[in-house]
Amino acid sequence: MNDFYDPKKLKIGQHVGIELDPYVLNYPMDNNKTTWMADQGGRPFVLRFFQTQKGKVEDFLQNARKYAAVKHPAITPNYPPFYSNLWVFSCSAVCGGENLYSFLGKYPDGAPLNVVIGLFDNIAKALDQVHRNGLFHGHLDLHSIHVVNGLGVMTGFGSHNWMSRIDEHEMDARFFPPEYLKKEQKRSPISDSFAFMRLLMAALL
């Protein structure tokens, strides 16, 4: 069994990946230090590190490779994962704009209908496309959608679907579909549909 690097020990400025062209960690994006903003050769990326307590490394790699093939303007691109005896992480493009939570803060009484339609129309079309192929986001909430020029873009698409269980560390529990509350989670495209409708209500209200 490989002794992979513990994400909790990661530090700002640390080099990860291959020595000749490493990723340089800029800052963690979560309290568990499992998701980092990094750059490689001047290009920014989001790195998500494998967590041994969350599932199997084989599932992590298979999931990351599968979702790297997803292409849509409303989905932040994912790239093939990095794997070595020390490092295991997935890699995504950086999405600009601001997250939906911050954006909706400008509308304390709910966003206007035309704003909401502009935000969610492309997301709905993207979900329809990927759901037909049996793929799904898996942890849709206010923090997994960014607003770029008035349009909604999903981040971290499918990045947690390798985990045996998604909990409040990966997703706002207020958006949990009913099946996430069961002892054995059975996630599917329907899980996205439930969370999507909750997001619509949150935006409108």
Side-chain angles (χ1 to χ4, degrees):
M1 180 176 178
N2 284 346
D3 187 18
F4 299 122
Y5 199 92
D6 183 357
K8 294 178 182 177
K9 297 179 180 179
L10 293 170
K11 298 178 181 179
I12 293 173
Q14 187 169 350
H15 290 198
V16 303
I18 57 176
E19 293 184 11
L20 292 178
D21 193 15
Y23 293 89
V24 181
L25 301 182
N26 292 329
Y27 57 87
M29 300 176 68
D30 60 8
N31 293 331
N32 294 328
K33 298 172 70 174
T34 57
T35 304
W36 285 75
M37 186 72 72
D39 68 68
Q40 183 188 47
R43 290 184 59 200
F45 295 94
V46 175
L47 306 185
R48 294 179 175 85
F49 288 83
F50 171 65
Q51 304 168 66
T52 55
Q53 74 278 15
K54 288 286 189 176
K56 300 177 180 178
V57 67
E58 295 83 5
D59 294 336
F60 178 93
L61 294 169
Q62 183 180 28
N63 185 75
R65 290 170 183 140
K66 178 169 63 176
Y67 281 95
V70 175
K71 309 294 180 189
H72 194 280
I75 298 174
T76 306
N78 295 315
Y79 306 114
F82 184 91
Y83 173 76
S84 71
N85 290 332
L86 182 63
W87 303 110
V88 184
F89 55 83
S90 61
C91 184
S92 305
V94 173
C95 185
E98 60 183 317
N99 69 38
L100 185 59
Y101 180 85
S102 299
F103 181 83
L104 292 179
K106 303 169 186 175
Y107 303 98
D109 298 320
L113 183 60
N114 64 313
V115 171
V116 174
I117 291 174
L119 282 172
F120 288 100
D121 182 58
N122 242 15
I123 289 177
K125 292 174 181 175
L127 290 174
D128 281 343
Q129 176 180 307
V130 296
H131 287 173
R132 284 195 293 268
N133 295 320
L135 303 177
F136 50 95
H137 186 287
H139 62 280
L140 272 177
D141 62 14
L142 291 167
H143 298 283
S144 62
I145 294 176
H146 277 218
V147 182
V148 182
N149 297 324
L151 302 177
V153 180
M154 292 176 281
T155 63
F157 200 94
S159 60
H160 299 321
N161 290 341
W162 62 277
M163 296 180 175
S164 56
R165 187 171 192 82
I166 288 177
D167 58 30
E168 64 274 6
H169 295 294
E170 290 80 42
M171 180 180 182
D172 187 333
R174 294 174 296 178
F175 296 87
F176 276 8
E179 57 269 28
Y180 282 29
L181 302 175
K182 296 180 180 179
K183 187 175 182 179
E184 290 189 15
Q185 288 183 354
K186 293 191 176 180
R187 302 188 290 271
S188 71
I190 296 174
S191 307
D192 279 354
S193 299
F194 182 93
F196 180 83
M197 293 307 298
R198 286 223 159 173
L199 282 166
L200 272 179
M201 292 174 62
L204 289 166
L205 301 177

